[in-house]
């Protein structure tokens, strides 16, 4: 038993060492990717109840020269820890606004381009001035931009957050709470903060047709959102059944592989053009 215990320990530390060195490698490779422009944006359409495009969400992609596709779920948390999220986010914001403006000019985007924000980015003292600069440089009207924030961002410095949210709302930039329901926050911020939209996390959405508890959560969130005059989005819709069910609950906007996967700008332009001709 003793022997076994030691082996288990060794395996454990080796595993930990390997993970740690992977992270260190990833960190320096991410630095290179940011500097050499190896990051890319994909865009996923959001669909309203009539089946029309309501807006788009920008999602960052990293194609590693040898390792291939690396998921943002893996590198965003590392970038957040190392501070690399700051230059990364700056690039994402500028590129998303630039592409959004191109789509607006081509008559292909009437709604908003949504950009995911990181906590570090949102709470930087120069966040608002940087954002204004990007909008000026890219000529994107603030009415075409939406920022997606997590509950964690708002909880980190609630007083600071409220000032920034009011400033954004004054500018005409809208805000959405992402992954709603997965954080441990109080609901009072929905009353106190100028937020426009709630995105129900896909973990609730996808199981809503299988689990009564998840169905009840979706129903509750949608009712709450409508009562509070917030728009509500269901994330991760993959089946017609999920879509029908969320429709029946009164959900207003839908996002998921059932409608479209995130795609690069050129494919998106083709997709939007075809959709406009339908
Ligand atoms: P998120 O903001 O919740 O983005 C939605 C995720 O769900 C995306 O994963 C999208 O590809 C995926 N998705 C969309 N429809 C479906 C569906 O029907 N089924 C399933 N299974 N998944 C679906 P992705 O692109 O891998 O991004 C993961 C997370 O990484 C994002 O979650 C977001 O938290 C973060 N992220 C992505 N891009 C950025 C960025 O530019 N900045 C920051 N700060 N975070 C980002
Ligand atoms: Ca998001
Ligand atoms: Ca989300
Ligand atoms: Ca998520």
């Amino acid at each position: 038993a003793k022997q076994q215990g030691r082996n288990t320990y060794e395996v454990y530390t080796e595993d930990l060492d390997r993970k740690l060195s992977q992270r260190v490698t990833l960190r320096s490779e991410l630095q290179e990717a940011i500097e050499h422009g190896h990051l890319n944006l994909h865009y996923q359409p959001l669909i309203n109840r009539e089946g029309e495009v309501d807006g788009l969400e920008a999602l960052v992609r990293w194609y590693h020269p040898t390792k291939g596709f690396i998921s943002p779920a893996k590198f965003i948390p590392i970038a957040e820890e190392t501070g690399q999220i700051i230059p990364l986010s700056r690039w994402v914001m500028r590129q998303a606004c630039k592409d959004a403006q191109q789509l607006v000019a081509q008559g292909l985007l009437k709604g908003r381009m949504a950009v995911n924000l990181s906590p570090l980015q949102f709470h930087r003292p120069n966040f608002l001035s940087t954002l204004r600069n990007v909008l000026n440089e890219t000529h994107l009207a603030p009415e075409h931009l939406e920022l997606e924030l997590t509950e964690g961002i708002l909880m980190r410095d609630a007083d600071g957050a409220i000032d920034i949210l009011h400033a954004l709302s004054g500018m005409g930039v809208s805000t959405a709470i992402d992954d709603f329901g997965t954080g441990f926050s109080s609901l009072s911020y929905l009353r106190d903060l100028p937020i426009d939209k709630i995105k129900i996390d896909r973990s609730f959405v996808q199981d809503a047709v299988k689990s009564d508890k998840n169905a009840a959560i979706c129903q509750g969130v949608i009712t709450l959102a409508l009562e509070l005059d917030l728009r509500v989005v269901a994330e991760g819709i993959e089946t017609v059944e999920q879509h029908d069910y969320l429709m029946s609950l009164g959900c207003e906007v839908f996002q998921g592989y059932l409608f479209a996967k995130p795609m690069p700008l050129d494919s998106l332009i083709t997709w939007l053009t075809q959709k406009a001709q339908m």
Side-chain angles (χ1 to χ4, degrees), residues 253-272:
V253 185
F254 307 86
Q255 181 177 6
Y257 297 166
L258 178 65
F259 309 101
K261 290 200 170 179
M263 50 196 142
L265 185 67
D266 53 350
S267 314
L268 175 76
I269 289 174
T270 308
W271 190 90
L272 289 171

Side-chain angles (χ1 to χ4, degrees), residues 51 271-278:
W271 190 90
L272 289 171
T273 308
Q274 277 170 358
K275 184 130 179 104
Q277 286 161 354
M278 263 164 46

Side-chain angles (χ1 to χ4, degrees), residues 178-179 201-202 235:
D178 206 352
D179 306 337
D201 192 66
R202 76 162 182 263
E235 295 189 313

Side-chain angles (χ1 to χ4, degrees), residues 54-101:
D54 194 76
L56 302 167
E57 178 175 2
L59 295 155
V60 69
R61 296 288 176 260
W62 177 14
Y63 292 100
H64 189 281
T66 56
K67 291 173 188 160
F69 174 72
I70 303 174
S71 166
K74 192 165 176 187
F75 69 83
I76 292 287
I78 295 177
E80 185 72 36
E81 267 174 43
T82 60
Q84 289 168 307
I85 193 76
I86 297 298
L88 189 156
S89 301
R90 199 179 299 135
W91 177 82
V92 167
M93 185 66 78
R94 180 153 295 148
Q95 192 63 44
C97 288
K98 214 172 126 194
D99 290 347
Q101 173 50 29

Side-chain angles (χ1 to χ4, degrees), residues 57-59 114-117 148-150 178-179 199 235 255:
E57 178 175 2
L59 295 155
V115 177
N116 291 285
L117 291 191
E148 297 195 0
L149 307 104
T150 55
D178 206 352
D179 306 337
K199 298 186 80 175
E235 295 189 313
Q255 181 177 6

